[in-house]
Amino acid sequence: MQTQPKASHFIDGAYVEDTSGTPIDVIYPATGETIATVYAATPAIVDQAITAARKAQGAWAAMTGTERGRILRRAADIMRERNHDLSVLETYDTGKPYQETSVADATSGADALEYFGGIAASLTGEHIQLGEDWVYTRREPLGVCVGIGAWNYPTQIACWKGAPALACGNAIIFKPSETTPLCALKVAEILHEAGLPAGLYNVVQGMGEVGASLVTDPRIDKVSLTGSVPTGRKVYAAAAEGIKHVTMELGGKSPMIVFEDADIENAISGAILGNFYSSGQVCSNGTRVFVHRDIKEVFLKRLAERLENAVIGDPMDPETSFGPMVSKRQMDIALGYIEKGKAEGARLVFGGNAIDGAGFYMQPTVFADVTDDMTIAREEIFGPVMSVLDFEDEDDVMTRANDTEFGLSAGVFTRDLTRAHRVAAKFEAGTCYINTYNDAPVEAPFGGMKNSGVGRENSKAAIEHYSQLKSVYVRMGDLEAPF
Ligand code: NAD
């Protein structure tokens, strides 16, 4: 497969190159080889993208929702037709196994394009009768939006931000993570092939400073970031200077509670999906697994047995179920946390090591006897490191589960119906799960409470974050004035 893109950026409906920007090598995580090089956007490139977006947005907003939606839905169909190639590219970009990328990335992006394409025609304001007078509201686009992505789901993030932005009549400029610059270019290509007018979906490459230059530009109306909490703080503050709309999809350290009456195999499936999918590089992962003391040893024994079945290897092999980390840097961060876990007295019950050879491979890792104060139980690791903590009492475990700065996700495994809903209601988290973990259908709102974020992606809720209401008061009679 050709992994070197035609050019680094996609602006005004075409590939654009400017080799005077800082070169960014794209590394295939399975081998450590450089598979492409792109160049960070120079100020001239950033200006070109913003100018194109501003120029195109008005005519796009003036089209009917049906027309806009048709283009998005056509793009969804093309994405599905090309799922194989897009999945291979996603695997090159991220190292995630094809077994995952073929069902979770372009497919999820296509879902977003289809869903928001379907919703575009039914976006309306409302009529409010006030005696003879009345008010009507118009749902208007925000203008030009900026999307900034993390590296774990490059295709999905490019679509989760692009689809609602475009459905609402905005233009968007997307800056992928510098670690995974390839996939968003394909999203841009497909949208234009589907009939999207030039200038509405632009991709510019670069590091944080390119993102920062977009966020601070007065011609930008909205910023949607997927990234870490420290980056979120900076981007939120910069956006506040210009009183811009924001969506912040940030990090997490989510709890998963396994009660003594849970179906233990299902709970282990949840713990595996919520810790080791994408080699643990998922923001919503349930990395603090609270297991009731009565079932803890059975849980750990079965978990270890099932982890032996992980197929670690070439991510392009459809049998492989656990791939490399996205980068050496990310692997070193995770390995550093494993050392901290050991040093602070957690019991290593599975994995714990890097795997020799090419690429950035490490073992899925489980610690038991983790206590709430340990670093591995407090900080986001963003790697395949599960912490198992004990509990006995529901009230106590709820307090402990919520005792974190984060609030992205949370899960509960139990057969007790009322307990399941009681626990879900008490979780301080935006996305909760009962007897499952990490499902993220486009129909459901996704996002965080507390430091994990602001706003919601997906579902009808995202429309609120990509449009604004104007109210128009209409007087039907004469207007009285005091003089
Ligand atoms: P990161 O915060 O390092 O970078 C995210 C993006 O922000 C990158 O594109 C980066 O170039 C850009 N950036 C950095 N500094 C910037 C600045 N000052 N101004 C503008 N842009 C700037 O995150 P990452 O390492 O790419 O991704 C991992 C993090 O993302 C984890 O914390 C993870 O939890 C989070 N994440 C959250 C979600 C979610 O939906 N909540 C999804 C995936 C990842």
Side-chain angles (χ1 to χ4, degrees):
M1 168 180 264
Q2 170 71 25
T3 45
Q4 176 65 43
K6 283 184 204 145
S8 302
H9 319 288
F10 193 97
I11 298 172
D12 211 6
Y15 275 98
V16 176
E17 191 54 282
D18 178 355
T19 53
S20 64
T22 311
I24 300 171
D25 286 337
V26 188
I27 310 291
Y28 181 36
T31 62
E33 286 164 337
T34 301
I35 53 163
T37 302
V38 297
Y39 295 88
T42 54
I45 287 285
V46 169
D47 184 65
Q48 204 178 322
I50 298 175
T51 305
R54 288 219 76 85
K55 191 166 128 257
Q57 191 263 326
W60 176 244
M63 282 165 64
T64 66
T66 307
E67 290 166 329
R68 288 199 300 270
R70 192 178 302 138
I71 292 168
L72 298 187
R73 285 182 288 111
R74 206 179 290 143
D77 291 344
I78 301 175
M79 281 198 94
R80 289 214 176 84
E81 280 159 23
R82 302 211 185 131
N83 184 43
H84 170 73
D85 285 356
L86 294 169
S87 304
V88 170
L89 189 68
E90 175 97 18
T91 293
Y92 273 122
D93 225 359
T94 62
K96 292 186 295 182
Y98 178 81
Q99 189 186 92
E100 285 185 20
T101 56
S102 56
V103 296
D105 292 281
T107 52
S108 158
D111 282 355
L113 291 163
E114 185 173 358
Y115 178 86
F116 288 105
I119 235 176
S122 47
L123 299 177
T124 57
E126 62 176 341
H127 166 103
I128 304 155
Q129 195 68 42
L130 298 164
E132 278 200 337
D133 293 352
W134 45 284
V135 167
Y136 65 93
T137 62
R138 292 166 49 90
R139 185 167 288 283
E140 297 189 351
L142 300 174
V144 177
C145 306
V146 161
I148 300 176
W151 42 256
N152 57 346
Y153 281 81
T155 306
Q156 182 186 80
I157 296 171
C159 293
W160 281 20
K161 299 190 190 306
L166 293 170
C168 292
N170 302 283
I172 183 163
I173 300 164
F174 186 75
K175 190 204 80 66
S177 163
E178 57 272 34
T179 311
T180 53
L182 304 180
C183 298
L185 291 168
K186 290 289 167 198
V187 174
E189 256 183 48
I190 287 171
L191 278 161
H192 287 82
E193 214 178 308
L196 187 74
L200 293 166
Y201 190 99
N202 308 279
V203 177
V204 298
Q205 309 291 352
M207 276 72 86
E209 70 240 28
V210 172
S213 73
L214 285 163
V215 174
T216 48
D217 193 290
R219 294 169 290 172
I220 298 302
D221 303 290
K222 190 231 156 86
V223 180
S224 176
L225 169 78
T226 297
S228 61
V229 173
T231 304
R233 276 204 185 89
K234 282 188 225 159
V235 173
Y236 201 175
E241 260 320 296
I243 321 285
K244 293 176 193 194
H245 297 258
V246 294
T247 300
M248 295 280 145
E249 291 291 351
L250 308 177
K253 189 75 198 177
S254 301
M256 184 183 298
I257 304 179
V258 183
F259 283 96
E260 66 282 11
D261 65 344
D263 179 309
I264 207 143
E265 291 300 324
N266 282 343
I268 291 167
S269 295
I272 289 172
L273 288 170
N275 281 273
F276 302 124
Y277 202 71
S278 303
S279 299
Q281 302 163 119
V282 181
C283 52
S284 47
N285 271 356
T287 46
R288 291 183 294 141
V289 183
F290 292 91
V291 181
H292 193 279
R293 197 157 279 163
D294 290 354
I295 56 165
K296 174 183 139 187
E297 290 308 328
V298 189
F299 180 95
L300 289 172
K301 182 167 165 290
R302 274 298 290 147
L303 175 65
E305 284 167 7
R306 286 182 56 179
L307 287 176
E308 291 291 352
N309 298 329
V311 180
I312 307 177
D314 174 5
M316 293 297 175
D317 181 342
E319 296 302 312
T320 298
S321 56
F322 188 86
M325 301 294 285
V326 75
S327 62
K328 166 114 185 22
R329 180 174 171 269
Q330 198 59 29
M331 181 172 80
D332 288 343
I333 290 172
L335 292 170
Y337 276 107
I338 290 172
E339 290 313 310
K340 274 192 196 131
K342 288 191 217 159
E344 290 178 16
R347 172 163 62 107
L348 183 66
V349 293
F350 197 90
N353 297 306
I355 298 173
D356 288 342
F360 316 126
Y361 286 90
M362 62 181 285
Q363 297 172 305
T365 297
V366 180
F367 279 106
D369 304 336
V370 177
T371 54
D372 297 331
D373 55 329
M374 289 181 187
T375 310
I376 55 169
R378 301 221 66 81
E379 296 182 10
E380 182 182 47
I381 299 175
F382 223 60
V385 185
M386 181 195 299
S387 292
V388 176
L389 304 94
D390 309 353
F391 79 94
E392 273 174 352
D393 172 70
E394 181 182 320
D395 285 340
D396 175 54
V397 76
M398 285 314 303
T399 307
R400 294 167 60 204
N402 287 330
D403 179 20
T404 164
E405 64 169 306
F406 301 107
L408 191 52
S409 297
V412 54
F413 281 84
T414 176
R415 286 194 174 95
D416 181 336
L417 248 172
T418 52
R419 173 156 67 189
H421 295 290
R422 185 168 64 233
V423 167
K426 282 190 190 155
F427 275 141
E428 295 169 4
T431 312
C432 297
Y433 301 100
I434 295 174
N435 292 334
T436 183
Y437 206 84
N438 262 354
D439 311 68
V442 68
E443 296 87 346
F446 183 85
M449 293 182 178
K450 303 195 316 200
N451 285 357
S452 290
V454 176
R456 292 292 176 268
E457 295 199 300
N458 287 344
S459 79
K460 284 177 267 183
I463 298 299
E464 299 300 326
H465 303 288
Y466 283 98
S467 61
Q468 56 194 336
L469 285 176
K470 174 185 281 175
S471 47
V472 181
Y473 192 109
V474 182
R475 186 172 295 280
M476 299 299 284
D478 290 335
L479 183 58
E480 282 178 27
F483 53 84

